Amino acid sequence: MLAAQAIDERRNKGVAVTAPINHVPTTTELPVVVVGAGPIGLAAAAHLAERGMTPLVLEAGASAGAAVREWSHVRLFSTWGEVVDPAAEKLLAPTGWVKPDGTTYPSGGDWAEQYLQPLADALGERVRFGATVTGVSRTGRDRVVDADREAQPFVVHFTTADGREERVFARAVIDASGTWATPSPAGGSGLAALGEKAASDRITYRVPDLKDPAVRARYAGKRTAVIGSGASAFTALAYLADLAQADDGTGTKALWVLRRGISGSTFGGGEADQLPARGALGLAAKAAVDNGYADAVTGFRTETIERDTDGSLLLIGEDGRRLDAVDEVIVLTGFRPDLTFLDELRLGLDERLQTPVELAPLIDPNQHSCGTVYPHGHRELSHPEQGIYLVGMKSYGRAPTFLAMTGYEQVRSVTAAIAGDLEAADRVELTLPETGVCGGAGLFDQPEAAEQADGGGCCAPEPALVQLGVGAPAATIAEETPAGGCCSS
């Protein structure tokens, strides 16, 4: 009896335990497990704590915002005022934390060091680092079994940094693990292009940090293909244009590979974007092309990547076109969710986007118009398996244009629902900014969609190049323009 009581006390504090096989826990007072200590996961923990529930955050990395730190050199196009969660701010206030100027733009490194790490520190033992979740299920029930299913708590298996296997029971699970670890490939069919894996020494799936001397040397004076059409691709093009104009970057050239044609929406919404820095980012990419630092090839879907005799790479399209050889390839074609550790749960996912079924119509790039995403919460994020929620980037599946403020609203609603406060859970407390772009990326095969995108309606005309001074080069624009990072590519 004393042993069982000790187990329950440890569990209630969010400590992982290995319970006797005949000990059947109840959901009462169990923690809510949050997968991932990124901005959305930590915000979820703050909201849970605010409502008197016990969060247990399991983070695979060694510190808060481990994925964010991997793009620490990139500035967000959202301001500090848009990337700090209200409940998290309340939790931080007693610690003496001072919120940065809400009108300025943090880098990924700033976000991690000045906000995410202090937030994790404030949560204390409720955050476990080096804990990689390997499986989630119902206690004693695989996905086949119906009997008494919803009465069983969740069981979460994870491995620790030293290789030990542990488990913890939970009343609910919030998966905020993101999609950073699973970037999409270069291949136009959604599969890796033939030869892509073999050429991995010349390919990266991240925006390079050109302030790092070793990384800078890799691209300086080289010809680099940038595959992708979102914020990350814009950022890479602007960075390479900046390098091309530097003393050590002579001969640097970018080849921008687009799967669709160039239209008025190619470079984003420009001045019509309600996030000004996001609109300006697309104009920086346009400057790189207009000023000759990047060439664009359109309607090209990579099928094969071959290595030439000198080690350079040849990109071959599905239509047989062969591009001139490049030295490096930067693949920025978006991300996709890792659903493997959720296999034993009954998820209701859209067959195209791998996002919750009710959310899919709101963010589907095959239907989405004008960049408007309607506020959504626990009902759109629910699944046939009650008590499991995918939030943050992972909730968007393969869809683009996710914002931190979207995730904060998601977890506010989800945590209210877990607490049984449906009135608060159903309440809309956020209006998201429009991108100023009509037509979705998934429509690029339809000529009429391109015409609609160019034709105005709710969108601005084709964006004009922003000049920050007389004859301002692309490098200046890139320097002044906050890049992506809070939004997927």
Side-chain angles (χ1 to χ4, degrees):
M1 179 67 180
L2 292 177
Q5 182 179 356
I7 288 171
D8 284 333
E9 288 177 354
R10 293 179 65 204
R11 183 179 297 115
N12 293 344
K13 293 178 181 179
V15 178
V17 299
T18 303
I21 194 66
N22 61 352
H23 179 81
V24 181
T26 64
T27 56
T28 306
E29 300 302 323
L30 285 176
V32 175
V33 167
V34 179
V35 185
I40 310 307
L42 291 174
H47 280 272
L48 289 166
E50 184 177 49
R51 287 187 167 273
M53 293 179 282
T54 302
L56 174 60
V57 183
L58 300 177
E59 165 58 46
S63 58
V68 173
R69 293 174 189 275
E70 293 193 27
W71 48 267
S72 60
H73 58 290
V74 178
R75 277 193 296 157
L76 283 70
F77 49 64
S78 295
T79 63
W80 269 115
E82 296 160 332
V83 298
V84 173
D85 176 78
E89 189 172 357
K90 291 179 185 177
L91 183 64
L92 284 165
T95 70
W97 180 78
V98 178
K99 183 178 179 179
D101 182 352
T103 64
T104 60
Y105 296 89
S107 67
D110 295 335
W111 203 16
E113 287 296 331
Q114 298 178 39
Y115 170 62
L116 299 179
Q117 192 60 55
L119 180 53
D121 293 342
L123 287 163
E125 293 183 355
R126 292 171 288 190
V127 181
R128 287 197 60 174
F129 297 109
T132 302
V133 174
T134 57
V136 182
S137 187
R138 290 281 187 179
T139 303
R141 305 289 188 273
D142 63 21
R143 68 184 297 166
V144 177
V145 179
D146 290 334
D148 202 29
R149 184 179 188 85
E150 291 182 3
Q152 306 306 313
F154 290 94
V155 58
V156 181
H157 286 213
F158 61 96
T159 58
T160 62
D162 59 4
R164 288 181 295 109
E165 295 182 358
E166 296 188 22
R167 67 176 177 177
V168 65
F169 300 99
R171 62 184 292 183
V173 176
I174 300 175
D175 183 358
S177 59
T179 57
W180 178 254
T182 48
S184 296
S189 300
L191 304 174
L194 299 178
E196 183 172 347
K197 295 178 182 178
S200 60
D201 60 316
R202 297 288 186 99
I203 301 175
T204 184
Y205 300 85
R206 307 285 188 258
V207 176
D209 181 4
L210 297 184
K211 292 182 180 179
D212 182 319
V215 176
R216 192 175 182 87
R218 175 175 176 176
Y219 296 96
K222 305 291 181 61
R223 179 176 166 84
T224 299
V226 177
I227 305 176
S229 59
S232 295
F234 294 164
T235 303
L237 290 168
Y239 282 8
L240 291 170
D242 187 19
L243 176 59
Q245 296 169 89
D247 292 339
D248 62 342
T250 302
T252 302
K253 185 79 173 185
L255 176 65
W256 189 16
V257 181
L258 294 126
R259 293 172 179 170
R260 52 178 168 170
I262 291 181
S263 69
S265 63
T266 298
F267 298 99
E271 295 180 1
D273 195 319
Q274 292 180 4
L275 290 178
R278 181 172 58 186
L281 179 61
L283 299 181
K286 186 175 190 300
V289 175
D290 288 351
N291 293 339
Y293 300 112
D295 296 327
V297 57
T298 61
F300 189 93
R301 298 181 189 169
T302 307
E303 182 178 67
T304 304
I305 299 177
E306 292 182 354
R307 195 180 295 271
D308 208 349
T309 54
D310 62 355
S312 60
L313 302 180
L314 299 170
L315 274 60
I316 303 169
E318 293 178 353
D319 57 3
R321 279 186 291 167
R322 301 173 68 91
L323 304 183
D324 291 339
V326 296
D327 301 293
E328 299 284 344
V329 178
I330 302 173
V331 180
L332 301 168
T333 53
F335 297 87
R336 52 188 58 177
D338 176 10
L339 301 167
T340 55
F341 62 85
L342 302 175
D343 279 350
E344 292 305 316
L345 298 178
R346 299 173 177 182
L347 301 181
L349 298 175
D350 179 75
E351 61 186 8
R352 295 160 296 178
L353 301 182
Q354 295 177 296
T355 187
V357 171
E358 296 298 320
L359 177 60
L362 304 182
I363 61 176
D364 188 351
N366 291 291
Q367 304 174 13
H368 205 211
S369 179
C370 300
T372 303
V373 177
Y374 295 98
H376 55 274
H378 73 108
R379 295 194 185 278
E380 291 82 6
L381 297 171
S382 64
H383 294 274
E385 189 85 67
Q386 295 184 21
I388 173 71
Y389 298 95
L390 278 58
V391 299
M393 280 288 297
K394 192 160 187 176
S395 73
Y396 267 43
R398 300 190 182 202
T401 64
F402 177 82
L403 296 171
M405 64 182 82
T406 303
Y408 295 157
E409 173 64 4
Q410 288 179 341
V411 297
R412 182 204 63 78
S413 174
V414 163
T415 54
I418 295 172
D421 185 356
L422 293 183
E423 180 182 356
D426 288 334
R427 191 165 57 239
V428 174
E429 296 186 2
L430 174 68
T431 300
L432 294 169
E434 295 183 2
T435 64
V437 177
C438 283
L443 297 174
F444 61 81
D445 276 332
Q446 302 178 22
E448 63 273 17
E451 292 173 5
Q452 179 185 3
D454 290 338
C458 62
C459 306
E462 180 173 353
L465 174 61
V466 171
Q467 295 291 347
L468 301 182
V470 178
T476 304
I477 297 174
E479 181 179 353
E480 297 297 330
T481 302
C486 186
C487 176
S488 71
S489 58

